[in-house]
Amino acid sequence: MGKKYEQAIQEPKKEFRVGPIKEKKDLEKIKQYLMGKASKRDFALFVVGINIGLRCGDLVQLRVSDVYDSDSGEFCKKKTIIEQKTGKAREIVLNNSCTDALELYFKERGSLEADDYLFPSRKKCALSVKTVNKMVRETCKELGIKGRYGSHSLRKTFGYWAYKKNIVTDVGFLYTLQEVFGHASSKTTLRYIDIDQEKKADVYKNLNI
């Protein structure tokens, strides 16, 4: 018993790593599936999550005023928030995909107060990360999308597709993405968005000598 107890203390728990959603067809399947639900909350949360790249803990804490200016009656193009984990200021940008999803969602919600949670639970509280994790995991399982996915997949999907879309035309984009994520090195960023293994495979694919 003593040895087992010591071993349990010495061995750290294995991290359950989730990945980004790498196939466009899978992203579209998820969007269509969530759109088919009676409530458009999960659809809007998913679209916003994969387009602004916040940690899920920050995503569920967003208020209506973080994305919508009630005085002008328009969505905010940019907004600065304070990240919970780092305490640092982070600017989020709402693209057309975000505003289109939120507009659909807001029509469903009707009357909104600036201080309301953007993605509230049934009790009008902030959603828990655990709830989002379950929603993403069960949605992917229901649709037969193979791999490990959860709430953190939203942020990783943002990073993966941002890298894919920009790296060809902007060789320095990796360092921009590294800064966005607050990583200590570009290697960490590549591993985080699950690109490092792809790059290693490309060495062989593109050789053909």
Side-chain angles (χ1 to χ4, degrees):
M1 182 175 177
K3 286 185 177 180
K4 288 183 179 180
Y5 179 73
E6 289 177 5
Q7 189 176 17
I9 294 177
Q10 292 171 1
E11 292 181 359
K13 291 183 179 179
K14 292 182 179 179
E15 182 185 359
F16 182 79
R17 286 193 64 187
V18 300
I21 300 164
K22 296 183 176 183
E23 298 292 334
K24 268 289 180 65
K25 61 180 177 61
D26 290 337
L27 289 173
E28 292 306 315
K29 281 168 65 176
I30 293 171
K31 289 179 186 178
Q32 290 177 18
Y33 177 83
L34 296 177
M35 267 287 288
K37 288 188 172 185
S39 170
K40 300 299 182 285
R41 183 200 65 188
D42 291 350
F43 168 73
L45 184 151
F46 180 80
V47 172
V48 172
I50 63 175
N51 277 280
I52 65 175
L54 286 178
R55 292 181 181 87
C56 191
D58 292 319
L59 182 65
V60 296
Q61 289 295 325
L62 288 176
R63 306 278 181 161
V64 170
S65 58
D66 289 320
V67 301
Y68 186 75
D69 184 349
S70 57
D71 292 332
S72 66
E74 296 180 351
F75 288 102
C76 307
K77 295 300 180 184
K78 296 180 181 180
K79 189 75 174 185
T80 300
I81 68 161
I82 304 298
E83 294 181 321
Q84 289 185 334
K85 183 176 180 179
T86 65
K88 295 180 180 179
R90 162 82 185 277
E91 185 178 75
I92 58 174
V93 179
L94 297 181
N95 58 23
N96 291 337
S97 294
C98 289
T99 55
D100 288 348
L102 287 170
E103 187 172 10
L104 181 67
Y105 172 50
F106 278 14
K107 285 180 181 178
E108 172 194 295
R109 284 188 63 179
S111 179
L112 295 168
E113 297 294 331
D115 202 41
D116 287 348
Y117 283 110
L118 183 59
F119 305 114
S121 67
R122 292 178 181 177
K123 296 181 179 180
K124 306 302 180 183
C125 302
L127 278 178
S128 68
V129 173
K130 185 178 180 180
T131 297
V132 179
N133 191 65
K134 182 179 179 182
M135 182 271 288
V136 174
R137 186 178 67 248
E138 292 188 349
T139 296
C140 290
K141 183 178 180 180
E142 176 72 20
L143 296 174
I145 299 173
K146 295 182 179 179
R148 289 182 172 180
Y149 304 105
S151 57
H152 213 46
S153 293
L154 304 183
R155 179 170 160 90
K156 289 190 174 187
T157 299
F158 159 82
Y160 178 84
W161 285 102
Y163 176 87
K164 284 287 192 178
K165 284 180 174 290
N166 290 281
I167 197 62
V168 175
T169 55
D170 180 4
V171 294
F173 182 76
L174 176 57
Y175 300 102
T176 301
L177 193 58
Q178 174 189 334
E179 188 174 322
V180 168
F181 282 139
H183 290 159
S185 70
S186 56
K187 184 178 181 180
T188 298
T189 301
L190 288 174
R191 186 170 62 250
Y192 181 78
I193 60 176
D194 207 19
I195 288 286
D196 52 347
Q197 293 301 320
E198 288 186 11
K199 287 176 70 66
K200 290 174 185 176
D202 286 344
V203 170
Y204 302 95
K205 289 179 183 177
N206 299 327
L207 189 56
N208 293 313
I209 52 177

